[in-house]
C-alpha cells in the first residue's frame, strides 16, 4: 500500500495511491484509519512529503562499492546523526543552497518509517516495527562540517531532507536498488545488500540506545557515487518499487527573489 500526503487548493490531505487516483483517508496511518470516500486524480494534486517525521536519524557512509568490500567486522559504534524536521520538503520542491557556498551534495537513500514504539528490539523482530519505506535525499553541505567531525550543521539547513513520493508498506527492503540520476544521468545505483550496517542491525542498535516512535524515520545511507551539484541541477532519487523523488537546486538568493 502506498501512503501519501498532498494538497489541492489550501487543504492538506492524506491518501492511498492506486494507479492514477488517490483515495483520501482519515485517522492515524500507523493505527486506525478509514477511507473518506473522496477520490482525487493524482494529476490534479501537489504531493507533499508523505509524512511529517517525528525524528530524523541518518547513518554515515554506509555502502561499499561491491560485496567483496564489505568489512568482516562491523563498527562497534556506528556513525549516526540527527537532522531537524524543519529540513523536510516534498517532491518537486526546490533545494536551497545556503548563502556563501555554491555547491552541495545529493545522497539518494532508502528511508525506514517506524510504525510502532520500539525499545530493545532484537534484530530478528525489527521488521515488525517498520511501517514502510520512502525515498530520501540526505542533502549535505560538507563545507559546514566541523573540523572535529561534527556533521550537524552541514546536514541541517532548511530543504536538506526531501522525502517522497510515497510510503510503500509492502516493500522487501533487501531486494531493491537505490538510484540517483543527476540531470537524467545515472550517478548512483546500488543494491541495499551493499549496506555496511544492514537494516536489522541498524534499527536494533538504535532501539537499544533510544526509544523509537511511530513517525521516526531513519535514512539508511547513500550508495557510492554522491557528488556536488549546483544551482539549476535536477536530481532524481529513485527506488523503483517506491517511486521517484525529484527536486531541483537553487541558490539562496534566487529562492528569496522568487518568493
Ligand atoms: Mg547520507
Amino acid at each position: 500500500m502506498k501512503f501519501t500526503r498532498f494538497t489541492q487548493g489550501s487543504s492538506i490531505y492524506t491518501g492511498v495511491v492506486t494507479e492514477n487516483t488517490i483515495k483520501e483517508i482519515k485517522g492515524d496511518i500507523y493505527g486506525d484509519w478509514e477511507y473518506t470516500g473522496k477520490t482525487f486524480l493524482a494529476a490534479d494534486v501537489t504531493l507533499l512529503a508523505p509524512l511529517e517525521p517525528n525524528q530524523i536519524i541518518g547513518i554515515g557512509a554506509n555502502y561499499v562499492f561491491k560485496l567483496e568490500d564489505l568489512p568482516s567486522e562491523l563498527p562497534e559504534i556506528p556513525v549516526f546523526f540527527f537532522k531537524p524536521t524543519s529540513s523536510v520538503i516534498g517532491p518537486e520542491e526546490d533545494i536551497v543552497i545556503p548563502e556563501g557556498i555554491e555547491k552541495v551534495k545529493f545522497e539518494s537513500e532508502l528511508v525506514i518509517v517506524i510504525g510502532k514504539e520500539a525499545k530493545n528490539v532484537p534484530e530478528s523482530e525489527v521488521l515488525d516495527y517498520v511501517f514502510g519505506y520512502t525515498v530520501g535525499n540526505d542533502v549535505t553541505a560538507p563545507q559546514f562540517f566541523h573540523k572535529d567531525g561534527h556533521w550537524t550543521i552541514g546536514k541541517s539547513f532548511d530543504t536538506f531532507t526531501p522525502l517522497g513520493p510515497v510510503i510503500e508498506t509492502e516493500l522487501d527492503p533487501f531486494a531493491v536498488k537505490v538510484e540517483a540520476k543527476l540531470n537524467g544521468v545515472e550517478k548512483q545505483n546500488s543494491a541495499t545488500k551493499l549496506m555496511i550496517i544492514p537494516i536489522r542491525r541498524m534499527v536494533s542498535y538504535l532501539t537499544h540506545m533510544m526509544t523509537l516512535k511511530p513517525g521516526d524515520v531513519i535514512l539508511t545511507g547513500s550508495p557510492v557515487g554522491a557528488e556536488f551539484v549546483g544551482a539549476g541541477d535536477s536530481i532524481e532519487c529513485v527506488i523503483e518499487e517506491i517511486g521517484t523523488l525529484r527536486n531541483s537546486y537553487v541558490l539562496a538568493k534566487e529562492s528569496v527573489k522568487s518568493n
Side-chain angles (χ1 to χ4, degrees), residues 71-85:
S72 51
E73 268 183 49
L74 295 183
E76 204 174 313
I77 304 181
V79 177
F80 287 108
F81 55 89
F82 281 89
K83 300 189 81 163
T85 54

mmCIF file with all atom_site columns, all heavy atoms in Angstrom, residues 71-85:
data_model
loop_
_atom_site.group_PDB
_atom_site.id
_atom_site.type_symbol
_atom_site.label_atom_id
_atom_site.label_alt_id
_atom_site.label_comp_id
_atom_site.label_asym_id
_atom_site.label_entity_id
_atom_site.label_seq_id
_atom_site.pdbx_PDB_ins_code
_atom_site.Cartn_x
_atom_site.Cartn_y
_atom_site.Cartn_z
_atom_site.occupancy
_atom_site.B_iso_or_equiv
_atom_site.pdbx_formal_charge
_atom_site.auth_seq_id
_atom_site.auth_comp_id
_atom_site.auth_asym_id
_atom_site.auth_atom_id
_atom_site.pdbx_PDB_model_num
ATOM 1   N N   . PRO A 1 71 ? 33.129 -5.133 5.141  1.00 0.00 ? 71 PRO A N   1
ATOM 2   C CA  . PRO A 1 71 ? 34.086 -5.458 6.198  1.00 0.00 ? 71 PRO A CA  1
ATOM 3   C C   . PRO A 1 71 ? 33.684 -6.734 6.929  1.00 0.00 ? 71 PRO A C   1
ATOM 4   O O   . PRO A 1 71 ? 32.496 -7.043 7.030  1.00 0.00 ? 71 PRO A O   1
ATOM 5   C CB  . PRO A 1 71 ? 34.003 -4.245 7.137  1.00 0.00 ? 71 PRO A CB  1
ATOM 6   C CG  . PRO A 1 71 ? 32.674 -3.642 6.883  1.00 0.00 ? 71 PRO A CG  1
ATOM 7   C CD  . PRO A 1 71 ? 32.307 -3.952 5.456  1.00 0.00 ? 71 PRO A CD  1
ATOM 8   N N   . SER A 1 72 ? 34.668 -7.470 7.413  1.00 0.00 ? 72 SER A N   1
ATOM 9   C CA  . SER A 1 72 ? 34.352 -8.716 8.119  1.00 0.00 ? 72 SER A CA  1
ATOM 10  C C   . SER A 1 72 ? 33.804 -8.401 9.513  1.00 0.00 ? 72 SER A C   1
ATOM 11  O O   . SER A 1 72 ? 33.037 -9.168 10.076 1.00 0.00 ? 72 SER A O   1
ATOM 12  C CB  . SER A 1 72 ? 35.585 -9.606 8.215  1.00 0.00 ? 72 SER A CB  1
ATOM 13  O OG  . SER A 1 72 ? 36.660 -8.857 8.721  1.00 0.00 ? 72 SER A OG  1
ATOM 14  N N   . GLU A 1 73 ? 34.209 -7.270 10.072 1.00 0.00 ? 73 GLU A N   1
ATOM 15  C CA  . GLU A 1 73 ? 33.675 -6.869 11.377 1.00 0.00 ? 73 GLU A CA  1
ATOM 16  C C   . GLU A 1 73 ? 32.982 -5.530 11.251 1.00 0.00 ? 73 GLU A C   1
ATOM 17  O O   . GLU A 1 73 ? 33.497 -4.614 10.601 1.00 0.00 ? 73 GLU A O   1
ATOM 18  C CB  . GLU A 1 73 ? 34.808 -6.739 12.393 1.00 0.00 ? 73 GLU A CB  1
ATOM 19  C CG  . GLU A 1 73 ? 35.042 -8.009 13.162 1.00 0.00 ? 73 GLU A CG  1
ATOM 20  C CD  . GLU A 1 73 ? 36.127 -7.844 14.206 1.00 0.00 ? 73 GLU A CD  1
ATOM 21  O OE1 . GLU A 1 73 ? 36.057 -6.866 14.966 1.00 0.00 ? 73 GLU A OE1 1
ATOM 22  O OE2 . GLU A 1 73 ? 37.030 -8.693 14.223 1.00 0.00 ? 73 GLU A OE2 1
ATOM 23  N N   . LEU A 1 74 ? 31.815 -5.413 11.902 1.00 0.00 ? 74 LEU A N   1
ATOM 24  C CA  . LEU A 1 74 ? 31.071 -4.156 11.839 1.00 0.00 ? 74 LEU A CA  1
ATOM 25  C C   . LEU A 1 74 ? 31.591 -3.204 12.915 1.00 0.00 ? 74 LEU A C   1
ATOM 26  O O   . LEU A 1 74 ? 32.043 -3.635 13.962 1.00 0.00 ? 74 LEU A O   1
ATOM 27  C CB  . LEU A 1 74 ? 29.582 -4.422 12.056 1.00 0.00 ? 74 LEU A CB  1
ATOM 28  C CG  . LEU A 1 74 ? 28.922 -5.259 10.961 1.00 0.00 ? 74 LEU A CG  1
ATOM 29  C CD1 . LEU A 1 74 ? 27.434 -5.416 11.233 1.00 0.00 ? 74 LEU A CD1 1
ATOM 30  C CD2 . LEU A 1 74 ? 29.145 -4.615 9.591  1.00 0.00 ? 74 LEU A CD2 1
ATOM 31  N N   . PRO A 1 75 ? 31.512 -1.891 12.648 1.00 0.00 ? 75 PRO A N   1
ATOM 32  C CA  . PRO A 1 75 ? 31.967 -0.921 13.656 1.00 0.00 ? 75 PRO A CA  1
ATOM 33  C C   . PRO A 1 75 ? 31.150 -1.055 14.937 1.00 0.00 ? 75 PRO A C   1
ATOM 34  O O   . PRO A 1 75 ? 29.943 -1.300 14.893 1.00 0.00 ? 75 PRO A O   1
ATOM 35  C CB  . PRO A 1 75 ? 31.713 0.430  12.987 1.00 0.00 ? 75 PRO A CB  1
ATOM 36  C CG  . PRO A 1 75 ? 30.825 0.158  11.823 1.00 0.00 ? 75 PRO A CG  1
ATOM 37  C CD  . PRO A 1 75 ? 31.003 -1.261 11.439 1.00 0.00 ? 75 PRO A CD  1
ATOM 38  N N   . GLU A 1 76 ? 31.834 -0.904 16.075 1.00 0.00 ? 76 GLU A N   1
ATOM 39  C CA  . GLU A 1 76 ? 31.163 -1.093 17.361 1.00 0.00 ? 76 GLU A CA  1
ATOM 40  C C   . GLU A 1 76 ? 30.138 0.021  17.605 1.00 0.00 ? 76 GLU A C   1
ATOM 41  O O   . GLU A 1 76 ? 29.050 -0.222 18.099 1.00 0.00 ? 76 GLU A O   1
ATOM 42  C CB  . GLU A 1 76 ? 32.216 -1.080 18.464 1.00 0.00 ? 76 GLU A CB  1
ATOM 43  C CG  . GLU A 1 76 ? 31.770 -1.812 19.711 1.00 0.00 ? 76 GLU A CG  1
ATOM 44  C CD  . GLU A 1 76 ? 32.908 -1.900 20.703 1.00 0.00 ? 76 GLU A CD  1
ATOM 45  O OE1 . GLU A 1 76 ? 34.037 -2.267 20.283 1.00 0.00 ? 76 GLU A OE1 1
ATOM 46  O OE2 . GLU A 1 76 ? 32.658 -1.580 21.870 1.00 0.00 ? 76 GLU A OE2 1
ATOM 47  N N   . ILE A 1 77 ? 30.521 1.249  17.253 1.00 0.00 ? 77 ILE A N   1
ATOM 48  C CA  . ILE A 1 77 ? 29.585 2.380  17.388 1.00 0.00 ? 77 ILE A CA  1
ATOM 49  C C   . ILE A 1 77 ? 29.377 2.977  15.999 1.00 0.00 ? 77 ILE A C   1
ATOM 50  O O   . ILE A 1 77 ? 30.208 3.722  15.508 1.00 0.00 ? 77 ILE A O   1
ATOM 51  C CB  . ILE A 1 77 ? 30.135 3.464  18.340 1.00 0.00 ? 77 ILE A CB  1
ATOM 52  C CG1 . ILE A 1 77 ? 30.470 2.858  19.697 1.00 0.00 ? 77 ILE A CG1 1
ATOM 53  C CG2 . ILE A 1 77 ? 29.117 4.597  18.488 1.00 0.00 ? 77 ILE A CG2 1
ATOM 54  C CD1 . ILE A 1 77 ? 31.003 3.850  20.708 1.00 0.00 ? 77 ILE A CD1 1
ATOM 55  N N   . PRO A 1 78 ? 28.254 2.632  15.343 1.00 0.00 ? 78 PRO A N   1
ATOM 56  C CA  . PRO A 1 78 ? 28.001 3.193  14.014 1.00 0.00 ? 78 PRO A CA  1
ATOM 57  C C   . PRO A 1 78 ? 27.859 4.717  14.098 1.00 0.00 ? 78 PRO A C   1
ATOM 58  O O   . PRO A 1 78 ? 27.491 5.258  15.134 1.00 0.00 ? 78 PRO A O   1
ATOM 59  C CB  . PRO A 1 78 ? 26.663 2.553  13.615 1.00 0.00 ? 78 PRO A CB  1
ATOM 60  C CG  . PRO A 1 78 ? 26.459 1.409  14.536 1.00 0.00 ? 78 PRO A CG  1
ATOM 61  C CD  . PRO A 1 78 ? 27.202 1.738  15.800 1.00 0.00 ? 78 PRO A CD  1
ATOM 62  N N   . VAL A 1 79 ? 28.147 5.395  12.993 1.00 0.00 ? 79 VAL A N   1
ATOM 63  C CA  . VAL A 1 79 ? 28.064 6.859  12.964 1.00 0.00 ? 79 VAL A CA  1
ATOM 64  C C   . VAL A 1 79 ? 26.636 7.273  12.622 1.00 0.00 ? 79 VAL A C   1
ATOM 65  O O   . VAL A 1 79 ? 26.211 7.205  11.471 1.00 0.00 ? 79 VAL A O   1
ATOM 66  C CB  . VAL A 1 79 ? 29.046 7.443  11.927 1.00 0.00 ? 79 VAL A CB  1
ATOM 67  C CG1 . VAL A 1 79 ? 28.895 8.969  11.854 1.00 0.00 ? 79 VAL A CG1 1
ATOM 68  C CG2 . VAL A 1 79 ? 30.469 7.060  12.268 1.00 0.00 ? 79 VAL A CG2 1
ATOM 69  N N   . PHE A 1 80 ? 25.873 7.662  13.623 1.00 0.00 ? 80 PHE A N   1
ATOM 70  C CA  . PHE A 1 80 ? 24.524 8.175  13.405 1.00 0.00 ? 80 PHE A CA  1
ATOM 71  C C   . PHE A 1 80 ? 24.517 9.687  13.604 1.00 0.00 ? 80 PHE A C   1
ATOM 72  O O   . PHE A 1 80 ? 25.366 10.241 14.304 1.00 0.00 ? 80 PHE A O   1
ATOM 73  C CB  . PHE A 1 80 ? 23.541 7.549  14.402 1.00 0.00 ? 80 PHE A CB  1
ATOM 74  C CG  . PHE A 1 80 ? 23.210 6.115  14.112 1.00 0.00 ? 80 PHE A CG  1
ATOM 75  C CD1 . PHE A 1 80 ? 23.715 5.096  14.918 1.00 0.00 ? 80 PHE A CD1 1
ATOM 76  C CD2 . PHE A 1 80 ? 22.380 5.775  13.052 1.00 0.00 ? 80 PHE A CD2 1
ATOM 77  C CE1 . PHE A 1 80 ? 23.402 3.763  14.658 1.00 0.00 ? 80 PHE A CE1 1
ATOM 78  C CE2 . PHE A 1 80 ? 22.064 4.445  12.793 1.00 0.00 ? 80 PHE A CE2 1
ATOM 79  C CZ  . PHE A 1 80 ? 22.582 3.445  13.590 1.00 0.00 ? 80 PHE A CZ  1
ATOM 80  N N   . PHE A 1 81 ? 23.538 10.335 13.011 1.00 0.00 ? 81 PHE A N   1
ATOM 81  C CA  . PHE A 1 81 ? 23.350 11.778 13.238 1.00 0.00 ? 81 PHE A CA  1
ATOM 82  C C   . PHE A 1 81 ? 21.860 12.080 13.142 1.00 0.00 ? 81 PHE A C   1
ATOM 83  O O   . PHE A 1 81 ? 21.092 11.290 12.600 1.00 0.00 ? 81 PHE A O   1
ATOM 84  C CB  . PHE A 1 81 ? 24.145 12.603 12.205 1.00 0.00 ? 81 PHE A CB  1
ATOM 85  C CG  . PHE A 1 81 ? 23.844 12.262 10.776 1.00 0.00 ? 81 PHE A CG  1
ATOM 86  C CD1 . PHE A 1 81 ? 22.827 12.910 10.085 1.00 0.00 ? 81 PHE A CD1 1
ATOM 87  C CD2 . PHE A 1 81 ? 24.572 11.262 10.113 1.00 0.00 ? 81 PHE A CD2 1
ATOM 88  C CE1 . PHE A 1 81 ? 22.543 12.580 8.767  1.00 0.00 ? 81 PHE A CE1 1
ATOM 89  C CE2 . PHE A 1 81 ? 24.285 10.931 8.792  1.00 0.00 ? 81 PHE A CE2 1
ATOM 90  C CZ  . PHE A 1 81 ? 23.276 11.587 8.116  1.00 0.00 ? 81 PHE A CZ  1
ATOM 91  N N   . PHE A 1 82 ? 21.484 13.228 13.682 1.00 0.00 ? 82 PHE A N   1
ATOM 92  C CA  . PHE A 1 82 ? 20.095 13.696 13.578 1.00 0.00 ? 82 PHE A CA  1
ATOM 93  C C   . PHE A 1 82 ? 19.997 14.817 12.562 1.00 0.00 ? 82 PHE A C   1
ATOM 94  O O   . PHE A 1 82 ? 20.935 15.586 12.393 1.00 0.00 ? 82 PHE A O   1
ATOM 95  C CB  . PHE A 1 82 ? 19.604 14.216 14.941 1.00 0.00 ? 82 PHE A CB  1
ATOM 96  C CG  . PHE A 1 82 ? 19.199 13.122 15.881 1.00 0.00 ? 82 PHE A CG  1
ATOM 97  C CD1 . PHE A 1 82 ? 20.124 12.542 16.731 1.00 0.00 ? 82 PHE A CD1 1
ATOM 98  C CD2 . PHE A 1 82 ? 17.886 12.678 15.913 1.00 0.00 ? 82 PHE A CD2 1
ATOM 99  C CE1 . PHE A 1 82 ? 19.759 11.525 17.596 1.00 0.00 ? 82 PHE A CE1 1
ATOM 100 C CE2 . PHE A 1 82 ? 17.514 11.659 16.782 1.00 0.00 ? 82 PHE A CE2 1
ATOM 101 C CZ  . PHE A 1 82 ? 18.450 11.086 17.624 1.00 0.00 ? 82 PHE A CZ  1
ATOM 102 N N   . LYS A 1 83 ? 18.845 14.897 11.901 1.00 0.00 ? 83 LYS A N   1
ATOM 103 C CA  . LYS A 1 83 ? 18.537 16.051 11.065 1.00 0.00 ? 83 LYS A CA  1
ATOM 104 C C   . LYS A 1 83 ? 17.266 16.698 11.625 1.00 0.00 ? 83 LYS A C   1
ATOM 105 O O   . LYS A 1 83 ? 16.398 15.984 12.141 1.00 0.00 ? 83 LYS A O   1
ATOM 106 C CB  . LYS A 1 83 ? 18.276 15.631 9.607  1.00 0.00 ? 83 LYS A CB  1
ATOM 107 C CG  . LYS A 1 83 ? 19.460 14.938 8.946  1.00 0.00 ? 83 LYS A CG  1
ATOM 108 C CD  . LYS A 1 83 ? 19.240 14.734 7.447  1.00 0.00 ? 83 LYS A CD  1
ATOM 109 C CE  . LYS A 1 83 ? 19.545 16.002 6.683  1.00 0.00 ? 83 LYS A CE  1
ATOM 110 N NZ  . LYS A 1 83 ? 19.738 15.775 5.225  1.00 0.00 ? 83 LYS A NZ  1
ATOM 111 N N   . PRO A 1 84 ? 17.131 18.009 11.528 1.00 0.00 ? 84 PRO A N   1
ATOM 112 C CA  . PRO A 1 84 ? 15.914 18.635 12.062 1.00 0.00 ? 84 PRO A CA  1
ATOM 113 C C   . PRO A 1 84 ? 14.700 18.372 11.165 1.00 0.00 ? 84 PRO A C   1
ATOM 114 O O   . PRO A 1 84 ? 14.834 18.274 9.934  1.00 0.00 ? 84 PRO A O   1
ATOM 115 C CB  . PRO A 1 84 ? 16.252 20.126 12.086 1.00 0.00 ? 84 PRO A CB  1
ATOM 116 C CG  . PRO A 1 84 ? 17.322 20.291 11.080 1.00 0.00 ? 84 PRO A CG  1
ATOM 117 C CD  . PRO A 1 84 ? 18.072 18.993 10.979 1.00 0.00 ? 84 PRO A CD  1
ATOM 118 N N   . THR A 1 85 ? 13.534 18.293 11.787 1.00 0.00 ? 85 THR A N   1
ATOM 119 C CA  . THR A 1 85 ? 12.318 18.065 10.997 1.00 0.00 ? 85 THR A CA  1
ATOM 120 C C   . THR A 1 85 ? 12.024 19.266 10.087 1.00 0.00 ? 85 THR A C   1
ATOM 121 O O   . THR A 1 85 ? 11.351 19.127 9.071  1.00 0.00 ? 85 THR A O   1
ATOM 122 C CB  . THR A 1 85 ? 11.101 17.806 11.903 1.00 0.00 ? 85 THR A CB  1
ATOM 123 O OG1 . THR A 1 85 ? 10.983 18.882 12.838 1.00 0.00 ? 85 THR A OG1 1
ATOM 124 C CG2 . THR A 1 85 ? 11.260 16.515 12.666 1.00 0.00 ? 85 THR A CG2 1
#
